Amino acid sequence: MTGPAAEPVPAGAPLPGPDGLLRCPWGLSAEEYVAYHDGEWGRPVHGDDALFERLCLEAFQSGLSWLTILRRREGFRAAFKGFSIPDVAAFTGEDVERLLGDTRIIRNRAKIEATVANARVAAGWEKGELDELIWSYAPAAGPAPRTLAEVPATTGESTALAKELKKRGFRFVGPTTAYALMQACGLVNDHLAGCCARADGRT
């Protein structure tokens, strides 16, 4: 005699990993994602340079898989001097050409030039101003999404943040990129209900 059938797992709901812990499905889709999902994504990030790095990487990710960026992150950090805003702001045309030949990064001229241009904008701000601006768009906490289908690609806050950054001279920052930044840097908590990274009390 068999027991009752197990309830089917809704599409896009948390899945158990090799350790038995439930995680957002994307966090199990590649080896590199597990550590990023568990220990970084959705954790609050502060500091102008740290947020500038994430903003730049999200822009480079546009049209690509985040895994492509994650696997090249150390190369990006080396190529862009740790994403120090003053250092990147000082890059010249020769630096842009150098970066176009650097196989450690995504060699897209428009994105490279936007990174340098954005650094020049941010370099003229007061210390902490980029951090304050980005975090001013953090929304009030809402209910945990139950499946990936409930996680939005953009929100009113991300649209407003992108608009303000563009108004101030930033490039390659649309509402989708802005929302990805908000997710990655903990302005919103989009770990699914039941995910170990949401339930561990750190997000």
Side-chain angles (χ1 to χ4, degrees):
M1 188 172 177
T2 59
E7 288 290 329
V9 177
L15 297 173
D19 55 6
L21 296 176
L22 292 175
R23 290 179 174 84
C24 303
W26 67 264
L28 294 168
S29 60
E31 182 179 352
E32 294 90 342
Y33 274 153
V34 177
Y36 177 70
H37 167 274
D38 289 4
E40 186 173 350
W41 192 78
R43 313 295 189 201
V45 173
H46 285 283
D48 292 341
D49 288 350
L51 287 165
F52 176 68
E53 174 187 347
R54 271 85 170 169
L55 189 60
C56 293
L57 293 180
E58 293 294 350
F60 271 101
Q61 185 270 335
S62 180
L64 302 170
S65 163
W66 176 248
L67 187 61
T68 300
I69 303 301
L70 195 59
R71 288 173 171 168
R72 290 170 169 78
R73 184 158 61 165
E74 292 308 315
F76 271 106
R77 286 172 171 169
F80 285 96
K81 296 189 176 181
F83 288 96
S84 162
I85 291 172
D87 288 345
V88 178
F91 278 13
T92 64
E94 291 182 358
D95 289 304
V96 171
E97 296 305 317
R98 169 181 59 80
L99 291 167
L100 284 169
D102 194 329
T103 58
R104 298 172 298 176
I105 69 169
I106 304 301
R107 293 173 290 172
N108 179 296
R109 180 180 290 276
K111 293 177 181 179
I112 291 171
E113 290 180 343
T115 299
V116 176
N118 291 346
R120 289 173 180 166
V121 170
W125 295 3
E126 297 293 328
K127 182 178 180 180
E129 189 172 349
L130 180 60
D131 185 311
E132 182 179 357
L133 171 65
I134 290 174
W135 275 90
S136 72
Y137 287 89
R146 293 167 296 176
T147 68
L148 294 179
E150 295 182 8
V151 178
T154 65
T155 62
E157 291 87 357
S158 76
T159 300
L161 173 58
K163 182 178 180 180
E164 181 62 24
L165 286 169
K166 286 182 178 179
K167 178 181 176 182
R168 295 185 179 218
F170 273 70
R171 306 181 195 171
F172 261 95
V173 187
T176 302
T177 295
Y179 192 65
L181 173 76
M182 294 169 77
Q183 291 174 302
C185 296
L187 280 76
V188 294
N189 182 359
D190 275 345
H191 284 287
L192 303 180
C195 171
C196 63
R198 186 179 190 98
D200 64 10
R202 291 178 293 168
T203 55

